[in-house]
Amino acid sequence: MALLEIERLRLVFPGGGGREAVALDGIDVRVDCGRTLGIVGESGCGKSMLALAIMRLVPPPGRIAGGSVRFAGTELLALPEREMRAYRGARIAMVFQEPSTALNPVLTVGSQVAEVIRLHRRVSRREAWERAVALLAEVGIPEPRRRASSYPHQLSGGMRQRIVIAMAIACEPALLIADEPTTALDVTIQAEILQLLRTLQERHGMAMILISHDLGIVAEEADEVAIMYAGRIVERAAVASLFAWPRHPYTEGLLRSMPVLGRLRDRLEAIPGQVPALTARPSGCAFRDRCALAEARCAEQSPPLVESAAGHWVACVRR
């Protein structure tokens, strides 16, 4: 059963000469109840903008110029801001990639978790505080009652990320968006945070969108993967299908750039060039300037996302 359905979502920013810079160009995805969608792509491809668009937190002067975002049958883009605030944090929550900027440095971490609870639940300050302490324990903070009185700078990066996760699950959302949740953490702490998210998802029955540039993480954690490039989804499939049979040249390039156990001494193959700027997107397929398989027709048309096999969608004229 679909919990979140996004169709033809378009997000633009004003550009020079009266032209618009397109950050999201016709995004189509869905997330089923209790399932995990991984969104993968290089920096600048639009992953975080998609998350902010779902939450209706697009920074100005950006604006959603079209499309649909339905959550449990409700069109979020049509809701007045007051009603959207009731969804944001309570039914849809987000874990930001940098906990230091997500936390207020002058408030204790316990008071920040309690504030989220009081914003969406009718409880006393004492009840909210006790619930906050319980949440800190749930996300693995040692001595949670004492740590609740700590300030963010007194905690390690891994502990700050756990606090942000506690704030996100405080009101038991149906959908959790995790935007690069392991950025700047060492490998051991990364594994602990991912295990924590997995445990919380199973315990609370949440659906999750996991945004990452790391295909290895997504392979372990997601049920379905959407590959993004230059504001578009270029391939979408179940994890097993995508890794066994990638069909878009960009996906193939990403997989070739991953280290493989037993071949760690081999030189990794990089994708030449870089993601085009929003104001310098080429005509036709945005990946054509970096694609070894590009043909003349790739400059003439932007291929739509089509189902090339059961449940496997790809946007490429060769597939």
Side-chain angles (χ1 to χ4, degrees):
M1 176 181 176
L3 178 67
L4 179 73
E5 296 175 284
I6 301 174
E7 295 180 354
R8 302 180 304 279
L9 183 62
R10 183 176 172 85
L11 170 61
V12 300
F13 286 84
R19 298 180 61 187
E20 290 182 325
V22 182
L24 299 177
D25 187 12
I27 297 293
D28 289 290
V29 292
R30 61 177 277 165
V31 184
D32 291 338
C33 294
R35 307 282 281 177
T36 298
L37 170 68
I39 299 179
V40 181
E42 296 169 274
S43 297
C45 71
K47 305 186 301 295
S48 294
M49 279 299 163
L50 175 57
L52 293 175
I54 294 170
M55 300 288 286
R56 278 182 45 184
L57 291 174
V58 175
R63 64 182 181 87
I64 296 175
S68 170
V69 179
R70 289 191 304 276
F71 178 80
T74 297
E75 177 55 66
L76 298 184
L77 301 185
L79 291 179
E81 176 57 25
R82 182 175 179 179
E83 293 183 32
M84 185 62 202
R85 283 198 296 267
Y87 278 81
R88 195 184 295 132
R91 303 193 65 189
I92 308 173
M94 187 166 175
V95 176
F96 294 89
Q97 60 181 285
E98 181 45 69
S100 295
T101 59
L103 294 170
N104 189 325
V106 301
L107 296 177
T108 65
V109 294
S111 65
Q112 294 185 61
V113 177
E115 182 180 15
V116 174
I117 297 168
R118 295 198 71 215
L119 182 64
H120 296 286
R121 300 286 187 267
R122 292 187 176 183
V123 297
S124 67
R125 290 182 182 276
R126 181 176 180 81
E127 289 173 321
W129 179 264
E130 292 300 322
R131 171 62 177 152
V133 171
L135 282 165
L136 296 192
E138 185 174 5
V139 299
I141 299 292
E143 301 180 86
R145 191 168 297 278
R146 181 174 71 84
R147 289 296 189 182
S149 298
S150 299
Y151 292 88
H153 73 273
Q154 296 175 310
L155 304 177
S156 67
M159 291 179 71
R160 286 195 295 267
Q161 190 63 290
R162 290 174 185 271
I163 298 297
V164 172
I165 292 171
M167 294 170 66
I169 67 165
C171 296
E172 300 185 345
L175 173 64
L176 181 67
I177 303 173
D179 185 5
E180 300 275 11
T182 58
T183 295
L185 300 176
D186 65 47
V187 175
T188 301
I189 304 301
Q190 283 185 24
E192 291 178 358
I193 293 299
L194 291 170
Q195 177 59 52
L196 173 62
L197 289 172
R198 192 182 311 123
T199 299
L200 293 172
Q201 181 182 23
E202 293 172 356
R203 184 178 298 161
H204 296 280
M206 299 181 295
M208 184 161 63
I209 295 176
L210 177 61
I211 296 173
S212 180
H213 63 273
D214 189 328
L215 275 167
I217 288 176
V218 169
E220 290 290 330
E221 306 297 331
D223 300 298
E224 187 178 19
V225 187
I227 305 294
M228 283 193 71
Y229 186 79
R232 301 191 68 204
I233 290 176
V234 297
E235 188 163 6
R236 191 180 82 226
V239 166
S241 178
L242 185 130
F243 279 81
W245 193 11
R247 302 188 179 201
H248 195 281
Y250 180 58
T251 308
E252 293 172 347
L254 290 177
L255 289 171
R256 285 195 301 269
S257 69
M258 290 177 60
V260 178
L261 192 63
R263 297 172 51 193
L264 298 181
R265 293 186 179 181
D266 294 350
R267 185 179 181 87
L268 297 180
E269 184 176 339
I271 302 174
Q274 59 186 5
V275 179
L278 299 183
T279 54
R281 185 176 299 176
S283 61
C285 174
F287 186 63
R288 66 181 174 84
D289 290 341
R290 305 175 68 188
C291 181
L293 303 176
E295 305 173 1
R297 56 179 173 162
C298 297
E300 300 169 358
Q301 54 182 298
S302 180
L305 192 67
V306 297
E307 192 170 18
S308 64
H312 200 133
W313 299 73
V314 63
C316 179
V317 296
R318 295 173 59 90
R319 300 298 191 265

